[in-house]
Amino acid sequence: MGITNGQKIVKQWIEVEPIYNLLKSNISRINLPITVIFIKAQCPNLLNKNELFTIENEITTYLERKVRDTDLLFKCDEVMQWGILLIGSGEVEAAGLLNRLYQSIKDEKYDFYLNKQCFLNALVFEIKNSQIKLSHLYLQKELQFEKEYDAWTIINIPIFKKRDTEIVKISILEDNEIFRKVLQRTIENIKVEHLDIQVKCFADGYEFLQSDWYISSHQHIVILNDILPQKNGIEVVYNLRKMPNHKKFTIYMMTKRNTQQDMIYAYESGIDEYLVKPFNMRLLEAQLSRTFERV
Amino acid sequence: MNITILTVLYCIGILVLFCLFLFGILAIRYFIQMRHQRVMDKYYKKTEQLWFNYLIEDSQFTLKLIPKTTNEIKSAENILLSYINNISDEAIQSKISFFAKAYLSNYYMKMLTHRRWSIRMNTLYRIVDFRLDNLVDYCLENQAKLKTSNEQFQVFKIQSMFRKESFIPLLTTLQTIFSETEYRQIFIEMDEEMLECLFHLFEQLPKNAQYALIEVFSNKVDFEKVHHLEGLLVNEDAEVRIRALKGMERIGVIQDLNLILPFLKSSIWEERLMVAKLLKYGTLDQVEPYLIELFNDPNNYIQKEIMTAFKKEKIVEQLNEKSAKGIVNQPTKQQFVLEGH
């Protein structure tokens, strides 16, 4: 049951939990964080409870008008406390939203601000981890709101920003054993905090496709040579791109061909990155780092 | 009868012995090869990580990398070639070059005068791959022993890389003529300054070198090179003129229409075809009269070129009108209609 204010129903705290659980389960899958804002209003000059509920309704109406359709406003069990669930936004966007809210209250000279000297404080929790329950946030909220803060403060609580460790598979398809080892060592030296990078080498495309290494839901980077024994690179690409979840593959092709026609053909076949041999290993590292950021 | 059977048996026995002898030789060679391969594999396993640390991770050089036997040298060669063929990095190339000069030069000097052609050729390739400029003089001193055309070409290529100052005079005076492909391989690796120098000596170059030079210039697709090609349009050799026109078409610009107009009436259809291709880079107002002239050309390729290049322009309608008035040849008009324009 929610508070009805005009057209929208503002959800209660308890109704938000299933929505929150759905969103946090998808944090690593769609690589978008969620942010939860808790707002507490304080009115030091208020005398009685009736006034308190009136002001609470006023602030609820105000927030409901100002919060975007893509964000979810909810009412906490405690008096004069609200929450906003931001999807796909981080703490920077949350701070921007709060600053705009604070400023508009002052500019539009709301009664609760002007006459009752009420002020707001806000806690911002950016969630990048699918293990964090709403009850954990609630507990932190209680602890933080017990402290004294100046009026109109935004407090970022970074304790839930540590990302889940995600497995990323990297396959190297190269028939030259020496260079294959060089690639493997170079990639194994790349360390990314929230990624568990697993590297495997194959001497040809057939060996790769016969294995079950590439059949999983993990993000998969494939670095392959265009010319391979048994099954060449383009054939491997065709096979991978026919798979239903082919979007998990990021494919790098190494080749000695450097004409525009070859590149066009490779991209049209499903390649994501084109590396002309001989290439600089720093270039490969830089491209891989960009790919890891997107993962 | 018995004597005949005995003879046959003796023959069979001799053949079997001969086969066993051959088999024995093959087996011995096989085991020798396996032994060599084991030594090479051992060197590779021992040094693989060290090479990576030295070349990629920029660690200190270690004496363990120095090969001691011929097989270890071959193994080191494989490793270094893998790095050179797959990784582009001046720092790595320099380290490899330094290592090869210090520890492999003596070996290559011996191999350069080996009786087997394949070994001499591979040595010449390694001189280029590892940039062993310290062996260039030795190469030239022993040039008489490098008799085949492949070896001659490779020595020529080495001179173009490491003896640039004397290479251009050599190019104009060398008795040996290489193929156009071979000249192209050399010119592609040259820097701009040397190519410009060569263009100034164009007439002194062998024909194949001239053709290769035009190709290399054209492939750069650099507008600033067009004036070189325009200068070749008055060359006596038709092949040079055609290639120059083709080069201009590849670059995709007409700087001076008057230079190509004389080729409209050329007796050589390839030249007229190249003009037809070039006209698409001019404005329609400029080139329209010439299009009409080429549209009437007896050569089908030229007519097709005009139609393909200008089918979307209003020129197609105009040509159609002129065709209806009988200005354009009948067969051409039919073809035009048939193709649905």
Side-chain angles (χ1 to χ4, degrees):
Chain A
M1 203 157 154
I3 299 169
T4 309
N5 285 286
Q7 290 158 4
K8 282 188 190 170
I9 303 279
V10 176
K11 291 199 180 296
Q12 289 287 1
W13 162 263
I14 200 77
E15 292 170 298
V16 172
E17 193 163 11
I19 301 170
Y20 171 80
N21 288 340
L22 180 68
L23 291 172
K24 78 157 168 80
S25 302
N26 280 287
I27 284 174
S28 51
R29 191 163 173 266
I30 56 177
N31 199 24
L32 279 177
I34 54 176
T35 302
V36 180
I37 299 173
F38 289 107
I39 298 173
K40 181 178 177 180
Q42 287 173 267
C43 305
N45 298 338
L46 274 188
L47 298 171
N48 59 58
K49 270 191 180 173
N50 284 338
E51 273 187 315
L52 202 66
F53 287 124
T54 308
I55 287 169
E56 190 184 62
N57 280 338
E58 273 181 41
I59 296 176
T60 304
T61 309
Y62 166 73
L63 288 173
E64 188 210 358
R65 241 188 28 249
K66 291 292 183 181
V67 165
R68 301 176 296 195
D69 288 344
T70 51
D71 302 326
L72 183 66
L73 175 68
F74 58 93
K75 182 71 187 67
C76 296
D77 292 337
E78 293 79 3
V79 178
M80 298 286 262
Q81 286 189 21
W82 299 263
I84 306 174
L85 181 58
L86 279 69
I87 303 158
S89 298
E91 59 188 15
V92 173
E93 290 96 337
L97 169 67
L98 287 164
N99 281 321
R100 285 193 300 277
L101 287 175
Y102 290 174
Q103 195 56 48
S104 86
I105 289 171
K106 294 170 189 172
D107 292 344
E108 291 169 41
K109 297 182 174 48
Y110 279 85
D111 181 57
F112 61 81
Y113 161 66
L114 214 56
N115 298 326
K116 303 287 189 290
Q117 266 86 62
C118 294
F119 60 88
L120 305 182
N121 282 326
L123 301 171
V124 176
F125 295 91
E126 184 176 344
I127 319 292
K128 286 186 175 178
N129 194 314
S130 57
Q131 310 303 317
I132 308 302
K133 295 181 183 170
L134 202 57
S135 54
H136 297 150
L137 297 175
Y138 188 84
L139 205 64
Q140 276 302 316
K141 169 185 79 80
E142 292 294 293
L143 287 169
Q144 295 296 331
F145 277 152
E146 276 173 11
K147 297 178 188 173
E148 292 286 325
Y149 292 108
D150 292 339
W152 308 107
T153 312
I154 301 169
I155 305 108
N156 286 327
I157 313 294
I159 56 178
F160 301 125
K161 279 174 74 173
K162 189 172 185 302
R163 291 175 72 163
D164 292 325
T165 300
E166 202 181 322
I167 293 175
V168 173
K169 289 184 174 181
I170 299 184
S171 299
I172 299 168
L173 280 68
E174 166 64 59
D175 54 330
N176 181 317
E177 191 196 341
I178 297 165
F179 187 54
R180 196 164 65 233
K181 287 265 169 68
V182 171
L183 283 173
Q184 184 178 10
R185 287 190 207 286
T186 305
I187 293 167
E188 283 171 353
N189 284 346
I190 301 173
K191 300 282 179 234
V192 183
E193 201 188 313
H194 60 282
L195 294 181
D196 173 17
I197 299 170
Q198 297 174 357
V199 185
K200 205 163 179 182
C201 294
F202 300 88
D204 61 70
Y206 183 75
E207 191 190 333
F208 172 72
L209 292 173
Q210 287 298 106
S211 73
D212 55 3
W213 169 251
Y214 66 99
I215 302 170
S216 69
S217 62
H218 300 114
Q219 285 293 321
H220 201 134
I221 299 171
V222 181
I223 303 171
L224 48 74
N225 217 358
D226 61 338
I227 297 177
L228 293 164
Q230 299 201 69
K231 230 177 182 52
N232 69 33
I234 292 287
E235 284 180 64
V236 171
V237 173
Y238 280 144
N239 277 281
L240 295 178
R241 290 297 179 212
K242 274 194 309 199
M243 293 174 68
N245 59 343
H246 71 91
K247 287 191 180 170
K248 68 171 188 181
F249 291 111
T250 304
I251 303 177
Y252 288 57
M253 176 177 270
M254 303 180 291
T255 173
K256 285 194 187 291
R257 297 178 216 193
N258 61 356
T259 65
Q260 287 187 353
Q261 276 79 10
D262 292 320
M263 287 188 206
I264 291 168
Y265 177 67
Y267 283 119
E268 286 175 350
S269 301
I271 305 296
D272 295 296
E273 301 283 356
Y274 196 90
L275 289 160
V276 178
K277 280 183 175 179
F279 57 85
N280 196 312
M281 293 305 279
R282 300 286 165 258
L283 172 66
L284 177 65
E285 283 175 11
Q287 285 175 319
L288 282 172
S289 297
R290 284 296 298 148
T291 304
F292 290 145
E293 277 176 34
R294 289 198 299 268
V295 162
Chain B
M1 191 71 169
N2 285 340
I3 292 168
T4 309
I5 290 172
L6 205 59
T7 312
V8 168
L9 283 173
Y10 273 133
C11 289
I12 290 171
I14 289 167
L15 280 170
V16 166
L17 277 170
F18 183 66
C19 286
L20 282 171
F21 173 69
L22 280 177
F23 180 76
I25 289 176
L26 284 171
I28 290 167
R29 290 185 74 161
Y30 173 76
F31 286 117
I32 291 171
Q33 180 62 31
M34 285 294 107
R35 206 179 67 203
H36 290 329
Q37 191 61 46
R38 273 199 299 275
V39 173
M40 288 171 69
D41 290 345
K42 194 177 165 191
Y43 175 84
Y44 172 63
K45 282 190 173 67
K46 188 180 77 173
T47 60
E48 176 222 334
Q49 179 69 53
L50 297 172
W51 276 117
F52 180 83
N53 293 344
Y54 173 55
L55 293 175
I56 306 283
E57 302 279 285
D58 218 15
S59 301
Q60 289 277 58
F61 178 75
T62 164
L63 296 174
K64 287 182 187 172
L65 291 172
I66 303 172
K68 294 180 180 54
T69 64
T70 305
N71 289 318
E72 287 189 353
I73 288 174
K74 286 180 185 169
S75 187
E77 196 181 67
N78 284 343
I79 294 170
L80 297 179
L81 276 176
S82 291
Y83 277 88
I84 285 175
N85 289 337
N86 292 291
I87 301 175
S88 159
D89 190 318
E90 200 47 50
I92 293 176
Q93 177 73 67
S94 299
K95 287 179 188 173
I96 291 174
S97 187
F98 170 79
F99 176 85
K101 281 182 198 174
Y103 304 109
L104 304 180
S105 289
N106 288 340
Y107 169 76
Y108 286 129
M109 275 174 74
K110 284 184 207 155
M111 293 301 111
L112 211 51
T113 52
H114 200 275
R115 56 186 170 81
R116 280 173 63 183
W117 170 85
S118 59
I119 291 176
R120 295 197 308 270
M121 272 311 295
N122 280 332
T123 308
L124 289 168
Y125 288 139
R126 294 300 89 77
I127 291 174
V128 170
D129 292 332
F130 298 153
R131 297 191 197 167
L132 297 171
D133 51 1
N134 58 324
L135 292 183
V136 176
D137 288 334
Y138 186 78
C139 249
L140 295 173
E141 282 164 22
N142 288 281
Q143 206 168 354
K145 292 179 187 166
L146 305 167
K147 290 177 197 146
T148 65
S149 55
N150 307 78
E151 287 166 300
Q152 291 290 323
F153 172 70
Q154 200 60 22
V155 171
F156 186 62
K157 190 173 175 183
I158 287 169
Q159 286 178 283
S160 75
M161 287 176 66
F162 301 116
R163 294 285 182 270
K164 289 182 184 176
E165 57 290 333
S166 57
F167 177 71
I168 290 178
L170 178 71
L171 194 57
T172 56
T173 56
L174 193 68
Q175 295 299 316
T176 316
I177 303 293
F178 298 107
S179 70
E180 186 188 329
T181 309
E182 285 169 331
Y183 280 119
R184 204 180 303 140
Q185 281 178 34
I186 292 185
F187 295 157
I188 275 172
E189 303 294 336
M190 278 186 177
D191 54 43
E192 292 292 326
E193 207 183 309
M194 278 188 80
L195 287 173
E196 290 280 338
C197 253
L198 279 177
F199 232 100
H200 288 124
L201 299 169
F202 190 84
E203 295 300 332
Q204 295 173 46
L205 298 174
K207 283 288 169 208
N208 286 343
Q210 290 180 351
Y211 303 152
L213 190 60
I214 297 173
E215 288 292 318
V216 167
F217 253 72
S218 311
N219 285 339
K220 288 187 184 294
V221 195
D222 181 352
F223 291 149
E224 290 177 21
K225 300 283 182 274
V226 172
H227 71 278
H228 287 302
L229 297 172
E230 286 173 346
L232 296 175
L233 294 178
V234 293
N235 197 285
E236 284 171 2
D237 185 353
E239 186 64 26
V240 166
R241 296 197 302 268
I242 293 166
R243 284 175 186 251
L245 287 168
K246 193 174 172 193
M248 287 164 65
E249 195 271 328
R250 196 174 301 159
I251 294 174
V253 69
I254 311 174
Q255 286 190 355
D256 186 352
L257 191 60
N258 292 323
L259 287 175
I260 68 166
L261 289 179
F263 294 98
L264 275 172
K265 298 201 187 310
S266 168
S267 57
I268 303 170
W269 70 268
E270 289 94 336
E271 287 178 348
R272 300 197 306 274
L273 176 63
M274 291 320 305
V275 173
K277 285 178 184 280
L278 271 165
L279 287 180
K280 66 177 178 272
Y281 297 116
T283 61
L284 206 53
D285 295 333
Q286 272 181 308
V287 306
E288 190 186 330
Y290 313 118
L291 286 178
I292 295 169
E293 190 173 336
L294 285 171
F295 199 68
N296 281 326
D297 196 288
N299 189 293
N300 282 342
Y301 289 122
I302 295 168
Q303 288 175 6
K304 257 194 173 166
E305 180 59 38
I306 297 294
M307 285 194 286
T308 314
F310 294 93
K311 68 181 174 191
K312 289 187 185 139
E313 309 288 337
K314 66 171 183 182
I315 191 69
V316 163
E317 293 162 12
Q318 289 179 6
L319 287 171
N320 224 356
E321 268 176 54
K322 287 181 173 123
S323 164
K325 285 179 189 169
I327 296 168
V328 176
N329 289 340
Q330 281 296 93
T332 314
K333 175 194 163 191
Q334 281 170 1
Q335 188 181 3
F336 201 58
V337 167
L338 279 169
E339 287 187 7
H341 297 295

